[in-house]
């Protein structure tokens, strides 16, 4: 069966065809071996399995699900989203020039800034949601353009197809962090991106119980892809088979979860938008959002599970609202079935996040219950 021709719900539910030939199990087992047998002739029983650092059937099965969902040529799993980010940057030569969207996940920027200094990589941070700013940054030649859309926690939307055009003109590869969209809503490679990255810790797994990251490529002949694959094999940033298996289990319901999470997020965003105690709502699903048109073009089936809002008042009022919530869990991270809330300024006080910004990751609970809890907290 060619899974690439199937729709996301089918690819995901059937884990891209992963079953267990040895037992006839509908669900594949977990391959835990760290090393593999050779026969009396010294030949490997399976030529593609020598040693477990980078060769594991369970990991390959989970990668195949992402690859098929993404419409990619190849996908590689990593032990966290940050390990996937680092794998891309480690493939750059010293002295490279990177154009990077600013105001994205702060952990990415924090690590990248430090790494670029150590490797003498020129880092140009720009607001990539501003097409003119991106065009200006791409006038000079570059090695890589990195965008995150929608961005965390500002929910800025970048036109991937336009960014790909600008990046390629500058001689750069375009990498998209699509964590907040998932391949169900946006297939960045179809829009011209060269690589797409996800923190699979978030909605791909969806149950707040696995750390994982994934990279996928459009063209396996991309020199950077070979560097990334070699680096993973040699330097050993590999995910364990148990995590890969859990991820595969989680992804079976990804399209279903995204449907509900997007519908819930849209309702929550619209409700907040109409509330007098809310100064602004940042969600691309709202017609007044500056990135709505772009999002409507490049996201299908919804605008994602992530949104932020500014509470009318000050820091104390925002913390008070967050503290009054009884249903939403106060915790960092996003993309799980359970809804999370976070006062972002407490986490990243030096990045320009307003003290009244509250970030929500909307889960699959009943939207009425979620809104009822917000109503109780906002008054
Ligand atoms: N990219 C985005 C957009 C994120 O939100 C995160 C984590 O919050 C990461 C990357 C890093 O992923 P991980 O926490 O799995 O290392």
């Amino acid at each position: 069966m060619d899974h690439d021709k199937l729709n996301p719900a089918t690819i995901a539910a059937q884990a891209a065809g992963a079953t267990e030939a040895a037992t006839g199990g509908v669900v594949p087992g977990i391959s835990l071996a760290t090393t593999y047998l050779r026969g009396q002739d010294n030949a490997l029983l399976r030529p593609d399995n020598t040693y477990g650092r980078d060769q594991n059937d369970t990991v390959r099965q989970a990668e195949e699900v992402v690859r098929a969902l993404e419409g990619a040529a190849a996908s590689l799993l990593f032990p966290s989203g940050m390990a996937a980010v680092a794998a891309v940057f480690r493939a750059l030569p010293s002295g490279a020039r990177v154009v990077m969207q600013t105001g994205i996940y702060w952990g990415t920027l924090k690590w990248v800034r430090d790494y670029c200094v150590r490797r003498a990589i020129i880092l140009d941070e720009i607001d990539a949601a501003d097409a003119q700013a991106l065009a200006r940054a791409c006038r000079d030649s570059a090695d890589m353009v990195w965008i995150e859309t929608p961005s965390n926690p500002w929910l800025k939307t970048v036109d991937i197809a336009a960014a790909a055009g600008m990046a390629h003109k500058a001689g750069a590869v375009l990498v998209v962090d699509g964590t907040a969209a998932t391949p169900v809503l946006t297939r960045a490679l179809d829009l011209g991106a060269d690589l797409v990255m996800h923190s699979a810790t978030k909605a791909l797994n969806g149950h707040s119980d696995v750390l994982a990251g994934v990279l996928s490529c459009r063209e396996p002949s991309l020199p950077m892809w070979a560097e990334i694959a070699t680096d993973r094999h040699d330097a050993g940033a590999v995910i364990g088979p148990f995590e890969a298996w859990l991820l595969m289990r989680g992804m079976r319901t990804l399209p279903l979860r995204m449907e509900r999470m997007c519908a819930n997020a849209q309702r929550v965003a619209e409700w907040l938008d109409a509330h007098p105690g809310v100064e602004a709502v940042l969600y691309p699903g709202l017609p007044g959002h500056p990135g709505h048109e772009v999002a409507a073009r490049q996201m299908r089936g919804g605008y994602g599970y992530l949104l932020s809002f500014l509470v009318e008042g000050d820091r104390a009022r925002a913390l008070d609202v967050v503290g009054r919530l009884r249903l939403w869990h106060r915790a960092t991270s996003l993309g799980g079935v359970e809804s999370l809330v976070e006062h972002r300024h407490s986490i990243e006080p030096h990045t320009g996040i307003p003290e009244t910004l509250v970030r929500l990751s909307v889960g699959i609970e009943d939207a009425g219950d979620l809104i009822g809890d917000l109503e109780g907290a906002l008054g």
Side-chain angles (χ1 to χ4, degrees), residues 127-299:
D127 178 4
D130 174 349
Q132 286 177 355
L134 185 56
R136 270 196 305 278
C138 289
R139 258 190 230 143
D140 298 329
S141 72
D143 296 277
M144 180 165 84
V145 174
W146 184 288
I147 59 173
E148 179 184 291
T149 184
S151 68
N152 169 18
W154 288 100
L155 280 302
K156 291 204 175 186
T157 306
V158 183
D159 186 330
I160 297 171
M166 293 184 229
H168 294 157
K169 238 189 204 165
V173 294
L174 176 70
V175 187
V176 177
D177 180 339
T179 300
T182 81
V184 173
L185 303 187
T186 303
R187 296 209 333 184
L189 303 177
D190 290 351
L191 297 168
D194 300 285
L195 297 180
V196 60
M197 173 263 154
H198 298 277
S199 165
T201 312
K202 316 302 183 199
L204 282 183
N205 180 60
H207 294 76
S208 306
D209 53 12
V210 172
L211 275 175
V214 66
L215 295 173
S216 303
C217 75
R218 187 161 45 84
E219 281 294 334
S221 58
L222 189 74
M224 201 175 189
W225 186 251
E227 299 251 2
I228 290 167
T230 303
D231 189 69
R232 189 185 75 160
H233 178 274
D234 294 353
V238 291
I239 190 169
F242 185 57
E243 283 74 17
W245 188 90
L246 275 177
L247 173 60
M248 188 161 45
R249 178 190 170 117
M251 286 191 295
R252 287 178 188 269
T253 55
L254 172 65
L256 205 56
R257 285 185 281 109
M258 287 307 289
E259 221 176 283
R260 177 65 164 263
M261 287 157 89
C262 290
N264 279 358
Q266 186 72 35
R267 273 188 65 187
V268 167
E270 285 170 8
W271 183 86
L272 285 169
D273 204 34
H275 195 285
V278 171
E279 190 191 323
V281 181
L282 314 179
Y283 185 63
L286 295 176
H289 185 273
H292 179 68
E293 251 180 60
V294 170
R297 242 185 290 132
Q298 71 186 20
M299 299 177 88

